[in-house]
Amino acid sequence: MSSQDYSDSYARDRAEIEDLMARYLFALDYNDLDSFIEMFTDDAEFEFARGRVAGKANILETVKGFKKRIGEHYKDEDGNPAVLRHVLAHTAVRVEGDRAWTRAQWFEMANDGPGKSLKMGTFGIYEDKLARVGGRWLFTERRILNEFLPGRESGPENPIRSMDAVAAL
């Protein structure tokens, strides 16, 4: 297992990265796509169940399409688009200078259960690469694995091992 360097700046870097990850989910869930797209570098890559895109303009269009499909798929019992909320579970963060990597578990829930109650929906793993640009941490790559879709699961090995292996390069 690769060891993490917990330098004096690690706590601050980790706090900033965790804040970025939380802001990402709030922006996504509350349809604040202007804030959402500012969390990526200009040449960032974004991969999810429907494919992989590069560049902020392509990421933004992809997420707009995703948001539209979600609104059509998730309905409350009255037929209205359900309120969908993503939740970030435990997160591992690896920092090496101005580069960082994360592995985090996520799940989502919506009010599409009986009586508009919460119903657990999908879940998976985020695999991120980040860079400090102009003093801010930004995503250079976000890979979203969906544990419930064939071919999109994280696999049997501990995801932290793959993060440490990439960071070691």
Side-chain angles (χ1 to χ4, degrees):
M1 181 172 150
S2 231
S3 66
Q4 166 72 54
D5 174 23
Y6 294 110
S7 66
D8 292 340
S9 63
Y10 178 78
R12 180 184 176 103
D13 290 331
R14 182 182 177 96
E16 290 174 3
I17 291 166
E18 286 181 348
D19 187 65
L20 175 73
M21 295 173 79
R23 288 173 182 275
Y24 167 96
L25 291 176
F26 277 114
L28 182 66
D29 286 348
Y30 286 87
N31 209 31
D32 180 4
L33 298 184
D34 291 337
S35 294
F36 174 87
I37 200 60
E38 290 306 313
M39 297 178 205
F40 292 87
T41 60
D42 290 339
D43 60 347
E45 296 182 31
F46 185 82
E47 179 184 329
F48 74 126
R50 290 184 172 252
R52 185 176 191 90
V53 295
K56 285 171 105 170
N58 291 328
I59 293 170
L60 186 57
E61 286 309 307
T62 295
V63 170
K64 284 179 180 177
F66 165 77
K67 296 287 288 179
K68 182 176 186 259
R69 284 186 302 281
I70 290 297
E72 294 166 354
H73 178 72
Y74 287 88
K75 302 279 187 191
D76 68 19
E77 65 186 9
D78 295 330
N80 299 313
V83 175
L84 184 72
R85 297 292 184 250
H86 289 82
V87 179
L88 192 60
H90 44 283
T91 303
V93 179
R94 174 90 186 231
V95 178
E96 301 286 341
D98 288 335
R99 298 179 311 141
W101 299 262
T102 74
R103 294 297 184 270
Q105 289 191 327
W106 62 268
F107 59 92
E108 58 83 8
M109 55 192 158
N111 67 335
D112 58 345
K116 297 184 185 179
S117 63
L118 290 177
K119 185 171 90 177
M120 180 68 72
T122 59
F123 63 100
I125 303 271
Y126 290 128
E127 293 184 349
D128 298 316
K129 293 180 185 177
L130 303 101
R132 188 182 354 245
V133 179
R136 288 180 56 212
W137 285 104
L138 299 172
F139 294 109
T140 61
E141 181 179 344
R142 173 149 265 208
R143 184 171 184 237
I144 304 169
L145 297 172
N146 309 84
E147 298 288 354
F148 55 96
L149 294 176
R152 297 296 306 163
E153 57 276 285
S154 62
E157 189 172 302
N158 179 351
I160 303 306
R161 287 186 176 274
S162 68
M163 177 180 72
D164 286 342
V166 170
L169 298 175

